[in-house]
């Protein structure tokens, strides 16, 4: 799970995808620009480091603007960008709004190659209309809440996010000194079902600094990140069921993933989280993020486990970048804006663009169908009833990722790509 890119910012000109509206070789959209009293059109952006813009719940609402999808430039002009967003005191690129810029195979050739050779999902939406914290909670549990105690019944819906910066730093300090963290998330996550069905799992984290601020503010100093630092990008140690099941040790450094891939001992289910440097979260390098992802994918493709693996590559939220598709309404929490998603597997359909409505909830649905006999994170059946508003995996709008696979085809061989690829060809409006 990479960071902070909209679908249109990476694949808005990809052939066959629902990309940036265009006609006769020209983009037909122009987003209002309050600074110029005019409007800004999409443009090709060759920059390796981008600025993006605010990506809070309030920014989501403003960008979508009731379905008009016209608030992106205005939000960018009033929010810190790029070097001001997080982290790097040495960063010096321009803070001019770049949310209407898009990349293509010239900047992200490997991502475009994966999309061309495997399956691209062009209606994948972040699960909640908010930022990284609730998105990463949804990724493992299909909900974001604040809990009053370790009882699941004490939890209440919260899509802004239950951790404050001070709370997260407290968790980190306590975990580093004692090896454990206080329970913060008492509702049920997917690892509880994996545990009860004896299915192996691991959550891998890259050492470095966190990809974003510890709240939804725009600026913050860098914070250290490792598998021992619970929080936004390492949420599972804060879940009461993970602690009760004595599975906090399943959270490991990313080096353990590479070793498991090499030896053919990958767990059934894995999540992988980058550090800031490799996250693609502005002001991180797009090139470095792509190289890091490519290395992970190459490791799986070289693994004895390749012939039974499905890789789901996606981005946690839109990062303030333009997208033209209004998110469907699934409930009061989401969906959020559209993000890229690529399915890579020996059995992934080649060159297929999947137009189903999907969200990161579909990853949980796939895990449940593939490993758990269709069991769901459902308070009525999972043995740990919590007051979540709905069962996201059963949403009427949600498609099924099994459509992205063809298990009758000859298994696809590995597609090993270079970490520093040459630029690909230019695209054109309309794909």
């Amino acid at each position: 799970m990479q960071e902070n890119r909209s679908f249109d910012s990476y694949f808005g000109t990809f052939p066959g995808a629902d990309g940036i509206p265009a006609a006769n070789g020209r983009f037909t959209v122009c987003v209002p620009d309050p600074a110029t009293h005019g409007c800004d059109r999409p443009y090709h952006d060759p920059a390796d480091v981008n600025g993006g813009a605010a990506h809070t719940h309030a920014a989501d609402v403003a960008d979508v603007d009731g379905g008009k999808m016209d608030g992106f430039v205005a939000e960018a002009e009033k929010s810190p960008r790029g070097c001001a967003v997080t982290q790097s005191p040495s960063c010096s690129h321009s803070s001019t709004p770049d949310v209407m810029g898009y990349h293509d195979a010239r900047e992200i050739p490997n991502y475009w190659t994966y999309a061309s050779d495997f399956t691209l999902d062009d209606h994948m939406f972040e699960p909640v209309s908010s930022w990284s914290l609730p998105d990463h909670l949804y990724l493992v549990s299909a909900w974001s809440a604040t809990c009053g105690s370790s009882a699941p019944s004490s939890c209440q819906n919260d899509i802004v996010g239950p951790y404050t910066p001070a709370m997260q730093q407290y968790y980190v300090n306590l975990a580093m000194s004692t090896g454990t963290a206080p329970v913060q998330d008492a509702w049920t996550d997917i690892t509880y079902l994996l545990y009860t069905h004896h299915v192996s799992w691991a959550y891998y984290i890259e050492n470095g600094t966190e990809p974003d601020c510890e709240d939804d503010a725009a600026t913050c100093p860098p914070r250290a990140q490792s598998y021992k630092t619970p929080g936004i990008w390492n949420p599972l140690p804060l879940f009461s069921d993970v602690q009760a099941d004595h599975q906090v040790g399943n959270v490991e450094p990313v080096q353990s993933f590479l070793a498991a891939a090499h030896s053919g001992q990958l767990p059934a289910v894995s999540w992988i989280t980058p550090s800031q440097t490799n996250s693609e979260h502005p002001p991180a390098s797009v090139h470095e993020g792509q190289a890091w992802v490519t290395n992970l994918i190459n490791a799986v493709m070289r693994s004895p486990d390749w012939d039974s693996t499905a890789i789901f590559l996606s981005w946690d939220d839109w990062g303030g970048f333009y997208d033209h598709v209004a998110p469907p309404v699934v409930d009061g929490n989401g969906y959020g804006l559209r993000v890229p998603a690529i399915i890579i597997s020996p059995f992934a359909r080649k060159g297929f663009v999947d137009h189903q409505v999907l969200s990161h909830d579909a990853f949980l649905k796939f895990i449940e169908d593939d490993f758990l006999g269709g069991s769901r994170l459902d308070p009525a059946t999972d043995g740990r009833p919590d007051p979540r508003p709905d069962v996201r995996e059963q949403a009427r709008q949600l498609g099924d990722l099994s459509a992205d696979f063809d298990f009758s085809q000859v298994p696809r061989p590995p597609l090993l790509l270079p970490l520093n690829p040459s630029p690909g060809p230019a695209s054109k409006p309309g794909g």
Side-chain angles (χ1 to χ4, degrees):
M1 183 59 68
Q2 294 294 98
E3 294 277 321
N4 288 51
R5 301 287 162 168
S6 71
F7 184 88
D8 278 343
S9 72
Y10 268 13
F11 294 100
T13 56
F14 189 86
D18 183 1
I20 304 169
N24 301 316
R26 291 175 54 86
F27 294 118
T28 57
V29 295
C30 199
V31 171
D33 183 343
T36 65
H37 305 288
C39 63
D40 295 350
R41 294 187 182 277
Y43 66 95
H44 173 248
D45 185 355
D48 184 51
V49 173
N50 299 129
H55 42 281
T56 63
H57 172 62
D60 178 295
V61 172
D63 285 352
V64 173
D65 192 15
K68 293 187 285 186
M69 309 305 288
D70 64 359
F72 297 87
V73 176
E75 279 300 298
E77 287 175 345
K78 67 183 183 183
S79 63
R81 299 174 298 280
C83 300
V85 175
T86 59
Q87 320 285 346
S88 175
S90 62
C91 184
S92 61
H93 77 274
S94 170
S95 62
T96 301
D98 60 1
V99 294
M100 297 305 295
Y102 68 87
H103 298 300
D104 61 13
R106 285 169 282 187
E107 295 77 42
I108 48 173
N110 285 4
Y111 289 158
W112 273 51
T113 296
Y114 291 138
S116 298
D117 278 43
F118 297 98
T119 293
L120 176 68
D121 294 320
D122 72 349
H123 283 81
M124 175 68 74
F125 297 88
E126 59 170 313
V128 61
S129 58
S130 197
W131 66 295
S132 288
L133 171 52
D135 280 321
H136 284 262
L137 292 171
Y138 265 85
L139 182 64
V140 296
S141 73
W143 196 27
S144 172
T146 298
C147 304
S149 72
S150 60
S153 60
S154 73
C155 301
Q156 296 182 342
N157 195 68
D158 186 344
I159 66 168
V160 174
Y163 316 153
T164 66
M167 290 166 65
Q168 176 154 322
Q169 194 58 41
Y170 170 71
Y171 306 150
V172 170
N173 291 341
L174 188 64
M176 294 296 287
S177 63
T178 67
T180 188
V183 170
Q184 175 67 24
D185 305 328
W187 69 96
T188 307
D189 69 85
I190 190 67
T191 70
Y192 178 75
L193 297 181
L194 295 173
Y195 171 78
T196 57
H197 287 75
H198 309 290
V199 176
S200 60
W201 66 269
Y203 192 105
Y204 299 101
I205 297 175
E206 184 188 27
N207 291 338
T209 58
E210 293 178 342
D212 199 353
C213 300
E214 291 172 346
D215 61 4
D216 58 359
T219 60
C220 61
R223 298 285 193 189
Q225 169 181 286
S226 78
Y227 71 104
K228 294 183 178 180
T229 55
I232 298 170
W233 294 273
N234 184 13
L236 288 173
L238 296 174
F239 275 88
S240 58
D241 54 11
V242 176
Q243 294 193 25
D245 296 339
H246 304 290
Q247 293 205 299
V248 173
N250 290 27
V251 178
E252 303 180 53
V254 76
Q255 290 86 346
S256 297
F257 172 83
L258 296 171
H262 179 74
S263 63
Q265 296 181 321
L266 287 169
V269 178
S270 302
W271 294 266
I272 308 178
T273 297
S275 68
Q276 163 64 16
T277 300
N278 294 318
S279 69
E280 298 162 59
H281 186 302
S285 159
V286 171
H287 172 83
E288 289 188 24
Q290 178 184 249
W292 189 73
V293 170
T294 301
N295 186 55
L296 296 172
I297 293 173
N298 284 349
V300 176
M301 289 183 170
R302 292 189 177 104
S303 171
D305 291 328
W306 164 244
D307 62 1
S308 61
T309 293
I311 300 170
F312 301 124
L313 170 61
S314 192
W315 284 254
D316 70 339
D317 67 52
W318 83 110
F321 293 102
Y322 173 73
D323 195 82
H324 79 280
V325 175
V329 176
V330 63
D331 57 20
N333 293 345
Y335 296 134
L337 279 103
R338 219 172 36 143
V339 293
I342 305 172
I343 313 304
I344 300 166
S345 171
F347 300 98
R349 296 174 64 178
K350 180 178 175 62
F352 177 56
V353 179
D354 185 353
H355 303 305
Q356 293 183 95
V357 171
L358 298 164
S359 87
H360 295 157
D361 303 323
F363 299 150
L364 294 174
K365 180 178 179 179
F366 185 90
I367 292 167
E368 292 163 351
D369 289 345
D370 201 34
F371 294 106
L372 305 175
S375 296
R376 298 286 185 243
L377 285 167
D378 184 344
T381 60
D382 63 21
R384 297 184 82 254
D386 55 45
R388 64 183 63 211
D390 48 16
V391 180
R392 271 299 192 88
E393 306 95 302
Q394 296 178 175
R396 178 180 54 82
Q397 298 98 319
L398 185 66
D400 190 335
L401 285 169
S402 64
D404 294 346
F405 298 85
D406 179 359
F407 293 104
S408 68
Q409 71 184 17
V410 176
R412 309 278 303 285
L415 178 66
L416 301 173
L417 297 180
L419 304 190
N420 295 292
S422 299
S427 64
K428 61 183 180 179

